[in-house]
Amino acid sequence: QRYDRSFHHYSKGNRIKRSQVQYRAEGTSQEVDDQIAACNAELFERQDGCQDPDPIFVVGLPRAGSTLLEQILSSHSQIDGTLELPNVLSLSGKLRRFGQRKGNRAYPYNLNDLSAEQLRELGEEYLRDTRIHRQGAPYFIDKMPNNFRHIGLIRLMLPNAKVIDARRAAMACCFSGFKQLFAEGQYFSYSQEDIGHYYRDYVRLMDHWDEVIPGYVLRVQHEDVVANLETQVRRMLDFCGLAFEDACLQFHKTERNVRTPSSEQVRQPIYSSALEQWRHYEPWLGPLKETLGPELVELSM
């Protein structure tokens, strides 16, 4: 409970880590701008791609509750839990490299140039390459948070997939990421300003997906899951077209390998003690508040 002293060490650790990585918030903002510009409603009027409904994508920010949602859903008899699969990021990388060739438009603008056959092949490639992680259930979860940046690609190549946005209030989510040393990636999380900009860009892009492909993404608020687990479990299962199973409420009893910082938390029943942890550090979170802006901060209160 020596919050001033512990925040001093959090800040020092973040400064050290940030000095070792290269991250520019402007680059993420430009990437979001490009997704919004390239992926308009007209693009999604087409229903090409692989029609298989197998994947359930759980997206969002780190420390937003995505591992909890994965654990809940993978407790269902019809759903396999897997890992944070890199396959969508790999496919977007392939399209990015293709867009760098002379005469081609850059990704994501080249999504408009893909034929029905190419989209179907991308979807089939994704399903083929992820099959090694499955155990035989009809559906499986891909819980790569950063896939929120490529929902346009997902919708085009897998129009019948389901996408769930694991959302957590801004201050709690950003502070939880700030105090976490990740094994790899998530380089935006080592500065209050960077993580604040990233959260704003995430919300901005998710709002765009809601506008151009309404109903394709289900938002699940972490605070609502904690307050009323069964209601949110039923929402998710209804969205996925699956019958309710009581095992999803007993998710902490499900034995499976979890390789995220939340691995120990999802072995326990729902608890609320972590929701307001950031408030102990509020006196030192001025840069985060300023970057997020009053609207997102107010939603955290």
Side-chain angles (χ1 to χ4, degrees):
Q1 297 182 355
R2 296 172 61 188
Y3 302 116
D4 56 343
R5 189 65 177 159
S6 63
F7 190 81
H8 167 78
H9 289 292
Y10 282 141
S11 296
K12 184 177 180 180
N14 275 283
R15 285 195 300 272
I16 293 170
K17 181 64 177 179
R18 193 172 187 272
S19 70
Q20 298 170 349
V21 302
Q22 292 185 344
Y23 177 76
R24 292 177 59 254
E26 297 83 358
T28 298
S29 296
Q30 182 61 58
E31 185 176 327
V32 168
D33 289 343
D34 289 339
Q35 289 283 343
I36 290 173
C39 299
N40 54 35
E42 183 180 356
L43 176 64
F44 299 112
E45 291 177 358
R46 57 195 302 188
Q47 294 293 325
D48 304 319
C50 176
Q51 302 299 310
D52 291 24
D54 304 20
I56 302 170
F57 294 92
V58 178
V59 305
L61 264 63
R63 313 300 295 154
S66 58
T67 301
L68 174 61
L69 299 190
E70 178 192 32
Q71 183 76 356
I72 290 169
L73 290 170
S74 63
S75 299
H76 196 282
S77 63
Q78 301 298 299
I79 303 175
D80 284 333
T82 59
L83 303 168
E84 293 188 350
L85 304 178
N87 300 76
V88 170
L89 303 182
S90 295
L91 290 174
S92 69
K94 178 189 293 188
L95 291 173
R96 186 172 284 108
R97 291 189 296 275
F98 184 74
Q100 292 170 348
R101 297 178 185 174
K102 186 176 181 179
N104 293 337
R105 289 200 289 177
Y107 177 78
Y109 297 94
N110 60 6
L111 290 172
N112 290 266
D113 304 327
L114 298 176
S115 66
E117 181 180 2
Q118 288 173 314
L119 290 173
R120 187 184 69 252
E121 289 175 350
L122 285 172
E124 291 174 348
E125 178 180 347
Y126 170 84
L127 291 175
R128 182 178 63 250
D129 291 348
T130 55
R131 191 164 300 278
I132 190 173
H133 301 290
R134 302 174 63 178
Q135 289 83 47
Y139 303 94
F140 71 100
I141 300 170
D142 181 340
K143 193 201 76 69
M144 173 60 78
N146 296 338
N147 282 341
F148 81 86
R149 293 153 74 168
H150 305 289
I151 289 176
L153 169 60
I154 292 172
R155 167 59 179 76
L156 290 172
M157 69 178 183
L158 293 161
N160 294 318
K162 298 293 189 292
V163 180
I164 296 175
D165 172 24
R167 184 75 61 94
R168 187 178 180 186
M171 291 298 293
C173 184
C174 292
F175 175 69
S176 187
F178 182 74
K179 70 183 184 67
Q180 178 69 47
L181 175 62
F182 293 95
E184 60 181 354
Q186 318 303 358
Y187 296 144
F188 61 87
S189 67
Y190 300 110
S191 151
Q192 291 191 51
E193 292 86 353
D194 285 348
I195 200 168
H197 281 299
Y198 195 90
Y199 191 100
R200 287 179 59 88
D201 282 332
Y202 151 70
V203 170
R204 186 162 64 95
L205 186 54
M206 294 309 299
D207 286 347
H208 175 72
W209 300 133
D210 286 343
E211 180 180 346
V212 297
I213 38 177
Y216 190 67
V217 179
L218 176 71
R219 183 189 304 172
V220 178
Q221 193 74 33
H222 180 66
E223 292 77 10
D224 293 340
V225 176
V226 173
N228 193 328
L229 175 62
E230 183 171 343
T231 295
Q232 297 307 312
V233 168
R234 290 185 180 275
R235 280 187 70 228
M236 289 189 290
L237 294 179
D238 286 346
F239 179 71
C240 295
L242 294 170
F244 175 79
E245 290 184 1
D246 190 65
C248 294
L249 301 180
Q250 305 298 322
F251 62 88
H252 53 283
K253 298 179 181 179
T254 300
E255 296 184 3
R256 51 181 294 270
N257 192 13
V258 179
R259 300 181 183 178
T260 74
S262 302
S263 58
E264 295 304 313
Q265 293 166 295
V266 299
R267 306 293 187 202
Q268 308 171 50
I270 288 284
Y271 60 91
S272 61
S273 58
L275 291 180
E276 303 297 320
Q277 188 180 41
W278 69 271
R279 293 186 183 275
H280 297 301
Y281 300 90
E282 189 172 1
W284 304 282
L285 297 179
L288 175 59
K289 283 186 174 183
E290 184 176 353
T291 305
L292 286 171
E295 183 177 352
L296 288 175
V297 172
E298 181 66 26
L299 290 173
S300 301
M301 298 299 184

